[in-house]
Amino acid sequence: MTSSQKLRIAVLGSGSGSNCQSIFNAIDDGSLNAEVVIVLTDIKGAYILERAANRGIRNELIDCQGFKNKFPLESQQALAAQLTELNIDLICLAGFMRLVKHPLLNAFPNRILNIHPALLPAYPGIAAWKQAIDDKASQAGCTVHYVDAGMDTGEILMQAYVPVLSNDNAESLHERIQVQEHILYPAAIKSAAARLAL
Ligand code: GRF
């Protein structure tokens, strides 16, 4: 793609979708030259679907074959075919709680991003902000990274720092991390798009 073309994005999430909303907002304010083509979730009724529907964006439930946490390879294969058919340039994981493996990684090499609520490589995995509080860390933050077959292990693209305050609890820290996430993710997507245009 060239830098004048709109980046075609697919967003995958499992929850509220506030990071997906931040991508919508960056498109609306003109800071991100992109189109969210489809929003997908593994959780029936997840609010991220409603955010997409409100904008008239295609939104669908991924068929995970009844598995609660697993992301079966057949499901990933089907999703890879669907996203290839839609000419997706970049897949953005935004609170998506299943591990992406080779069917998607091979179909979209260096084209899958994830946002994680910690300064990776510190605190990979779930509830990273809580890990930072339990660890009495003085610095927390968020990371956007390329996705590989590990859990939160791919090449780091951008990070933002959030200080841990003396009166922070897990909830207050997570709230402040999310404020930074909503700035960081659109900026990182822009940077990933610039790399694709090279
Ligand atoms: C974010 O904190 C993100 O870093 C993590 O999951 C959360 C998703 O929040 N991976 P939302 O659904 O985007 O509001």
Side-chain angles (χ1 to χ4, degrees), residues 13-22 48 51 93-97 114-118 125 129 141-143 152 174 177-178 181-182 185:
S14 304
S16 132
S18 67
N19 280 285
C20 182
Q21 186 67 49
S22 77
I48 193 170
R51 291 185 193 267
L93 307 185
F96 187 64
M97 299 305 282
N114 181 43
I115 184 148
H116 182 77
W129 59 89
C142 46
T143 302
D152 306 320
H174 188 213
I177 290 173
Q178 283 223 299
E181 286 185 337
H182 300 157
Y185 212 179

Side-chain angles (χ1 to χ4, degrees), residues 9-28 32 36-40 47-53 55 57-59 92-96 115 178 181-182 185-186 189:
I9 295 176
V11 179
L12 272 62
S14 304
S16 132
S18 67
N19 280 285
C20 182
Q21 186 67 49
S22 77
I23 298 170
F24 294 157
N25 295 347
I27 291 170
D28 289 347
L32 186 63
V36 176
V37 176
I38 188 167
V39 172
L40 294 136
Y47 187 58
I48 193 170
L49 291 177
E50 205 171 314
R51 291 185 193 267
R55 288 176 69 95
I57 292 174
R58 184 167 166 184
N59 57 96
C92 297
L93 307 185
F96 187 64
I115 184 148
Q178 283 223 299
E181 286 185 337
H182 300 157
Y185 212 179
I189 292 168

